[in-house]
Amino acid sequence: MKTSCKLLIINLFSVAVAACGKSKRTDQAERLTGCPLNTTCSYSFTDHADFDKPAKIVTGDSRVFSYSGVNTRLCSATSTLYFKTGLSNADFNITGSQITSGHVLYNFTCACCDYISQELVGGEIKGTRVSDGKWLVKAVVLLGTPSLKRIDTLKINQYFTVK
């Protein structure tokens, strides 16, 4: 009896030590990004979709993720980011060259702004399915002028839910 009790304690201790040694994924260990000051944000995705310019989701063969930020103090200035992946993916990685070649769409509208046109000039977007209706997405999207000079960076580390 004494021996089996000792073995049980040793096994439990070994399991506890092994569990403590497991590392979390880097994406999940990082703090989620918040919405900028005076802005209302939404993070969603739509299956069997695609996107069309200037910023419209249409029926298609992909999964389209959508970020929208509306500045409530600056005449409802709206930043919208769309990106798409395959429907069967459990995770994805969109590279800088894919960002600039049409897998990603960025749109900014502002009725009262003196605005310099911004285009997608690079970055990276990674996503992992957390559950059927939830994805964790980490994005760093570089925005710049038509001459490819970087002027802004959009950073997102947030959960996107099904729309």
Side-chain angles (χ1 to χ4, degrees):
M1 179 87 168
K2 215 175 194 182
T3 305
S4 57
C5 188
K6 285 181 184 178
L7 288 174
L8 178 63
I9 290 172
I10 290 171
N11 283 337
L12 288 175
F13 182 75
S14 298
V15 169
V17 169
C20 290
K22 290 184 180 178
S23 63
K24 290 183 179 180
R25 287 187 37 166
T26 305
D27 296 345
Q28 293 176 342
E30 292 180 30
R31 181 172 287 178
L32 296 177
T33 53
C35 201
L37 187 62
N38 301 317
T39 304
T40 303
C41 296
S42 65
Y43 310 89
S44 63
F45 70 90
T46 305
D47 287 338
H48 304 286
D50 204 340
F51 52 76
D52 200 4
K53 288 185 178 183
K56 180 178 163 186
I57 294 179
V58 297
T59 302
D61 296 328
S62 300
R63 175 174 292 119
V64 173
F65 291 83
S66 172
Y67 159 78
S68 178
V70 180
N71 188 316
T72 56
R73 285 234 168 130
L74 184 62
C75 61
S76 296
T78 305
S79 296
T80 308
L81 181 73
Y82 292 123
F83 49 97
K84 60 184 172 182
T85 72
L87 287 169
S88 62
N89 296 349
D91 57 9
F92 63 86
N93 184 21
I94 300 173
T95 64
S97 61
Q98 290 172 309
I99 287 173
T100 59
S101 69
H103 284 82
V104 179
L105 175 67
Y106 176 77
N107 190 35
F108 180 80
T109 55
C110 181
C112 67
C113 299
D114 187 14
Y115 172 68
I116 297 172
S117 176
Q118 295 179 0
E119 296 180 1
L120 297 164
V121 297
E124 183 177 42
I125 304 171
K126 295 179 180 182
T128 303
R129 182 191 327 256
V130 176
S131 65
D132 282 342
K134 190 175 188 181
W135 285 73
L136 178 60
V137 174
K138 181 177 182 180
V140 176
V141 178
L142 307 177
L143 303 167
T145 63
S147 63
L148 300 179
K149 180 182 175 192
R150 191 182 88 175
I151 57 175
D152 202 1
T153 302
L154 179 60
K155 294 181 181 180
I156 300 169
N157 187 34
Q158 194 56 256
Y159 291 103
F160 283 63
T161 55
V162 68
K163 191 172 191 178

